[in-house]
Amino acid sequence: MDEPYNNRTSLVKGAKDIAKEAKRHAAKKVSKVVNRAADEYSSQRNYSQFQNEDEDDDDGRYAYTQPDGNDHFPGGLTAKDEDGEDYASDATEGHDDEDEIYEGEYQGVPADGKPRDGHDSLGQLVSDSMRDRKDLEQERQADEEELAQQYELIMQECGHGRFQWQLFFVLGMALMSDGVEVFVVGFVLPSAELDMCVPNSGAGWLGSIVYLGMMMGAFFWGGLSDKVGRKQCLLIAMSVNGFFSFLSSFVQGYGMFLFCRMLSGFGIGGAVPIVFPYFAEFLAREKRGEHLSWLCMFWMIGGIYASAMAWLIIPHYGWSFSMGSAYQFHSWRVFVVVCALPCVCAVVALTFIPESPRFFLEMGKHDEAWMVLKQIHDTNMRARGEPEKVFTVNRIKLPKHLDELVEMQSDSANPVAKVLFRIRTELRGIWLTFMKCFNYPVRDNTIKLAIVWFTLSFGYYGLSVWFPDVIHHLQSDEYASRVKTHNNERIEDFTFNFTLENQIHTNGVFVNDRFISMKLKSVTFVDSTFQNCYFDDVSTVGSLFKNCSFVEAFFYNTDIDDSKLVGSRVINSSFHHNKTGCQMTFDDDYSAYWVYFVNFLGTLAVLPGNIVSALLMDKIGRLSMLGGSMVLSGISCFFLWFGTSESMMIFMLCLYNGLSISAWNSLDVVTAELYPTDRRGTGFGFCNAMCKLAAVLGNLIFGSLVGITKAIPILLASTVLVGGGLVGLRLPDTRGNVLM
């Protein structure tokens, strides 16, 4: 009895040794395939290496062939064995779930004495759940590397042409919408807060709430794009942005307006984290850096568009209408509607472009990926005048999918429970993918990228708020220096029917005077007396009556109320049909035009930097451009010490924007290339969320320092920019990388 038992034990032990040896040889061959793929890429495009492996290396996965009448799957997809014969499927031969060839339930030890992959020495199938998880992950990593090399060769064959340019303009419209949304906040803020009578305690919330919405949107949509697809998430995100942007232009209350703009920001927050990974997955390695940089120009175009529209629309306060006294639709609301148009165009155009084939392959949707790749190839070849050129890809490597425990919802559950369950499942999936961004080997890259995104955004958005406010502060000082002062004047039986601006009247006496259809702009009356005066259709902006006396005065259709009468006495006077709401500034508001013009110049100044970064991205490298641009931007901040005039500050604004744009472009490219496909959107979304968080902090910190001191903003911006640039230089160089 002992001898058969010992023989059986020896047989099992020997089979296990043989299985380990076979696995070791298989790993060596996978490594050899990856190396050969890299060598082939440097010499010529050749796919034979992915299909002419020996018998031990053939895992029985699908092979793509050209339609020749023998195809058994859509798009020319057929499954073939090592000898080129179609696999049969009968009672004793076929495939299991992992596409492993099997024959019957028991085959014994192969004739050559070596166990097949996935079998033990007795021919029994080994379940993946029983295999070491680490080994499975290593196999998947090897598959991913081989797929990355082959995908690069496929994109080389598809070429760069009409298809990529069509996608370029469609995604550019989505990116342009993000640029518009950022500038809308600054342009609408003064008019919206004035129109809705927002007190000083609520001022500034609009800018912060929009950035907070964009921060949440970046993280959510970026993570979701790795689960359900780039196109679908981008389409939904842009639709959310467009809908709530339009809605915000019609709501009247400031609270509802904030809510709509927050949801609009939540939608547009998904633009940047999806657009760059999406476009990168359609580009070959030698084209990726340059064309992703060209794509960045649409953000600049969005800023120029917003500045130009604000310049043309907002100061024209006659472009408004009212429905009774409760509903007012002023010109700034028209501006909000116009700024939503790029988003609408992007939504319409997105419906005509396909999903990323790289994402399809990652999800195991082989047929869909092959069809999209063939569409890219055929579109580009027809544009080149070579419609007869055949798409020669006949095999695409499929990465091994690891089994995961999936919680199922009962079919008997009510619809609401199903929706809540789906939302919870998706959020959990996003969180798990996010946590994978902190696993080896991408953990260090995630931390460094987050630091660079945060510091660059903190300096950029902080100074973007500080520059215009400093210019406005300089303008206010100059405006105040030109104030006209009138003391101890006495005016009787006079009719005022013109505009009074930037004046101070002290100890004046006005008797039997008429103020009819006039405007008071930045006019202050101090210790003055108005006796038997008549006020009809009077509008005041920035005007006050301090410690004044009104005796037997009559007010009709004016906006003079308790907020304008500071410490004043009203004796035997009456108010009739007072104007409701807050009054907008006047048609000749020079300050509004100037602010829009300054932002227009600052945005236009990034054009040279965009062109330079696009042309040199693949020549001098991403990291050199990223670190160099941030360090130079930080150094340029020190020249702000000499900014004592409006013209000098405008010049410094243009110089800073021109130097920093190369860092933004490089950072977009590096982030898209560093993350693997299964977490590219999630990683990009997290980094962009850090960017928006820094924008909120920058707005709050730098905005509070306007008019107080120059030292803190300058030193703070310089320090974070230079520090972030040095961290960026320690990132891996991705110039020669394929998309993993």
Side-chain angles (χ1 to χ4, degrees):
M1 294 293 292
D2 293 339
E3 184 176 352
Y5 176 79
N6 293 333
N7 292 338
R8 188 183 308 166
T9 303
S10 300
L11 178 62
V12 172
K13 183 178 179 181
K16 289 182 178 180
D17 293 338
I18 294 174
K20 291 181 180 179
E21 187 69 16
K23 183 185 295 185
R24 187 174 65 84
H25 283 290
K28 286 184 177 180
K29 289 185 178 182
V30 170
S31 178
K32 181 175 65 176
V33 167
V34 174
N35 294 333
R36 288 170 57 187
D39 295 338
E40 287 289 344
Y41 173 80
S42 61
S43 59
Q44 61 181 351
R45 295 193 297 271
N46 189 343
Y47 301 99
S48 61
Q49 58 183 318
F50 297 102
Q51 58 189 357
N52 293 333
E53 302 299 331
D54 58 21
E55 181 179 351
D56 289 338
D57 190 48
D58 191 354
D59 58 3
R61 302 196 196 277
Y62 288 142
Y64 289 107
T65 63
Q66 294 302 317
D68 57 1
N70 296 323
D71 299 326
H72 303 290
F73 296 89
L77 176 64
T78 182
K80 297 181 180 295
D81 63 9
E82 306 88 28
D83 301 324
E85 299 295 335
D86 293 347
Y87 289 140
S89 179
D90 52 31
T92 61
E93 186 174 348
H95 292 72
D96 62 5
D97 292 339
E98 296 297 331
D99 276 343
E100 302 290 346
I101 303 175
Y102 65 90
E103 294 182 0
E105 296 182 355
Y106 178 80
Q107 296 298 322
V109 182
D112 57 5
K114 295 182 180 180
R116 291 186 177 90
D117 187 23
H119 295 69
D120 62 14
S121 60
L122 299 178
Q124 299 284 358
L125 288 172
V126 180
S127 174
D128 284 349
S129 61
M130 300 299 294
R131 299 172 64 186
D132 185 69
R133 181 83 176 182
K134 186 175 181 181
D135 291 342
L136 293 175
E137 291 177 351
Q138 290 177 350
E139 290 181 19
R140 176 177 172 81
Q141 179 66 21
D143 288 347
E144 288 283 1
E145 292 175 357
E146 185 175 344
L147 172 60
Q149 296 289 345
Q150 187 186 7
Y151 189 79
E152 179 65 30
L153 298 180
I154 294 174
M155 295 310 302
Q156 287 285 335
E157 178 172 340
C158 291
H160 188 93
R162 175 180 294 176
F163 184 92
Q164 280 83 359
W165 285 113
Q166 291 173 349
L167 183 64
F168 174 80
F169 286 107
V170 173
L171 297 181
M173 292 297 294
L175 192 60
M176 177 181 173
S177 301
D178 182 84
V180 169
E181 188 74 18
V182 171
F183 283 88
V184 164
V185 174
F187 294 153
V188 166
L189 187 61
S191 299
E193 291 178 343
L194 182 62
D195 187 23
M196 297 179 179
C197 304
V198 179
N200 291 333
S201 59
W205 268 105
L206 178 58
S208 299
I209 203 72
V210 171
Y211 282 123
L212 288 175
M214 296 174 75
M215 179 183 69
M216 294 185 293
F219 183 80
F220 175 77
W221 296 114
L224 194 62
S225 68
D226 286 332
K227 308 297 291 184
V228 301
R230 321 300 195 207
K231 173 186 174 180
Q232 185 175 353
C233 283
L234 183 59
L235 190 60
I236 298 175
M238 299 301 295
S239 299
V240 171
N241 170 248
F243 175 78
F244 285 102
S245 291
F246 271 110
L247 186 62
S248 67
S249 66
F250 295 97
V251 298
Q252 290 293 299
Y254 190 61
M256 183 58 68
F257 181 75
L258 285 177
F259 178 74
C260 290
R261 295 312 301 183
M262 182 187 70
L263 292 180
S264 174
F266 177 77
I268 200 61
V272 173
I274 300 178
V275 163
F276 286 99
Y278 195 4
F279 193 46
E281 291 170 356
F282 285 89
L283 298 173
R285 176 168 50 188
E286 69 272 10
K287 296 286 186 180
R288 193 176 304 127
E290 177 184 352
H291 288 274
L292 285 177
S293 299
W294 289 124
L295 185 65
C296 295
M297 292 187 65
F298 280 93
W299 198 93
M300 174 203 71
I301 295 173
I304 293 176
Y305 175 81
S307 302
M309 292 299 102
W311 195 3
L312 293 174
I313 296 175
I314 294 181
H316 294 280
Y317 302 111
W319 295 15
S320 61
F321 65 89
S322 61
M323 299 175 62
S325 59
Y327 189 86
Q328 302 288 330
F329 196 91
H330 291 292
S331 58
W332 67 267
R333 297 181 182 272
V334 179
F335 168 71
V336 172
V337 172
V338 171
C339 286
L341 295 180
C343 179
V344 175
C345 296
V347 170
V348 174
L350 277 169
T351 59
F352 297 98
I353 63 174
E355 180 59 84
S356 164
R358 188 65 179 84
F359 173 80
F360 275 147
L361 291 173
E362 194 68 26
M363 295 294 105
K365 298 182 179 181
H366 321 119
D367 297 355
E368 293 88 341
W370 189 87
M371 294 299 292
V372 174
L373 291 170
K374 188 175 186 303
Q375 178 185 350
I376 299 172
H377 175 273
D378 294 347
T379 301
N380 291 338
M381 292 306 108
R382 285 195 300 267
R384 293 180 183 179
E386 303 176 2
E388 72 285 352
K389 193 167 184 179
V390 179
F391 187 43
T392 61
V393 175
N394 55 14
R395 178 183 173 91
I396 299 181
K397 181 68 177 181
L398 306 179
K400 184 177 182 63
H401 286 269
L402 304 181
D403 295 332
E404 295 182 358
L405 183 62
V406 179
E407 185 180 358
M408 302 299 293
Q409 175 73 356
S410 174
D411 293 336
S412 62
N414 61 68
V416 176
K418 289 183 178 180
V419 172
L420 294 177
F421 176 79
R422 177 65 185 274
I423 294 175
R424 187 183 68 178
T425 302
E426 294 296 345
L427 291 177
R428 182 175 180 273
I430 292 173
W431 177 255
L432 292 177
T433 306
F434 169 66
M435 295 306 296
K436 288 171 62 178
C437 293
F438 291 91
N439 292 342
Y440 180 85
V442 299
R443 178 184 57 194
D444 292 342
N445 295 338
T446 299
I447 296 174
K448 292 175 184 176
L449 283 172
I451 293 174
V452 177
W453 275 93
F454 186 91
T455 54
L456 180 58
S457 177
F458 184 82
Y460 178 82
Y461 286 102
L463 290 178
S464 295
V465 171
W466 191 67
F467 271 122
D469 284 349
V470 168
I471 294 175
H472 182 71
H473 184 72
L474 293 174
Q475 288 179 341
S476 299
D477 290 344
E478 182 183 359
Y479 186 76
S481 66
R482 293 186 281 107
V483 65
K484 297 179 181 179
T485 303
H486 303 271
N487 297 316
N488 303 318
E489 58 183 343
R490 182 181 179 88
I491 301 177
E492 298 184 20
D493 297 318
F494 186 80
T495 300
F496 294 87
N497 57 1
F498 47 86
T499 298
L500 296 179
E501 180 180 356
N502 198 19
Q503 299 179 6
I504 298 177
H505 297 263
T506 305
N507 295 323
V509 177
F510 300 88
V511 181
N512 296 325
D513 293 325
R514 293 163 298 280
F515 300 83
I516 300 175
S517 298
M518 69 171 303
K519 301 172 182 177
L520 301 176
K521 181 180 180 181
S522 300
V523 178
T524 303
F525 294 92
V526 182
D527 297 325
S528 297
T529 301
F530 297 85
Q531 185 173 356
N532 295 322
C533 291
Y534 180 78
F535 296 84
D536 183 8
D537 191 20
V538 177
S539 298
T540 62
V541 174
S543 300
L544 296 174
F545 298 87
K546 295 182 177 180
N547 301 322
C548 295
S549 299
F550 294 88
V551 181
E552 297 182 352
F554 184 85
F555 297 86
Y556 181 84
N557 192 30
T558 69
D559 62 352
I560 300 175
D561 53 19
D562 292 340
S563 64
K564 306 291 178 68
L565 305 176
V566 180
S568 298
R569 298 178 301 164
V570 180
I571 303 172
N572 296 330
S573 300
S574 59
F575 295 82
H576 301 274
H577 300 286
N578 267 25
K579 295 181 178 180
T580 59
C582 300
Q583 303 302 309
M584 305 293 290
T585 52
F586 305 128
D587 295 342
D588 56 349
D589 191 348
Y590 171 76
S591 177
Y593 281 103
W594 187 245
V595 170
Y596 306 143
F597 179 68
V598 168
N599 280 276
F600 178 83
L601 290 179
T603 308
L604 191 62
V606 307
L607 179 60
N610 260 316
I611 296 175
V612 170
S613 63
L615 296 178
L616 300 181
M617 186 67 69
D618 291 317
K619 293 182 173 60
I620 67 175
R622 288 88 157 116
L623 301 186
S624 299
M625 187 167 293
L626 172 62
S629 177
M630 291 187 67
V631 171
L632 290 177
S633 299
I635 295 175
S636 68
C637 292
F638 285 103
F639 291 97
L640 294 174
W641 288 108
F642 307 101
T644 56
S645 63
E646 294 179 27
S647 58
M648 187 64 179
M649 293 301 296
I650 293 173
F651 172 77
M652 293 306 306
L653 172 64
C654 295
L655 177 62
Y656 173 77
N657 286 348
L659 290 174
S660 63
I661 191 61
S662 296
W664 284 109
N665 295 357
S666 305
L667 192 56
D668 290 330
V669 176
V670 170
T671 307
E673 292 179 333
L674 272 182
Y675 285 102
T677 303
D678 63 341
R679 68 201 86 165
R680 185 169 294 124
T682 304
F684 211 123
F686 168 68
C687 292
N688 199 251
M690 297 299 296
C691 167
K692 296 305 184 290
L693 176 62
V696 174
L697 296 178
N699 285 337
L700 295 176
I701 295 175
F702 283 78
S704 63
L705 297 174
V706 175
I708 299 177
T709 177
K710 278 186 176 182
I712 296 179
I714 293 174
L715 293 177
L716 189 59
S718 299
T719 302
V720 297
L721 287 171
V722 174
L726 296 178
V727 173
L729 289 173
R730 299 188 63 83
L731 287 167
D733 188 6
T734 61
R735 180 167 35 169
N737 289 6
V738 295
L739 287 180
M740 291 297 297

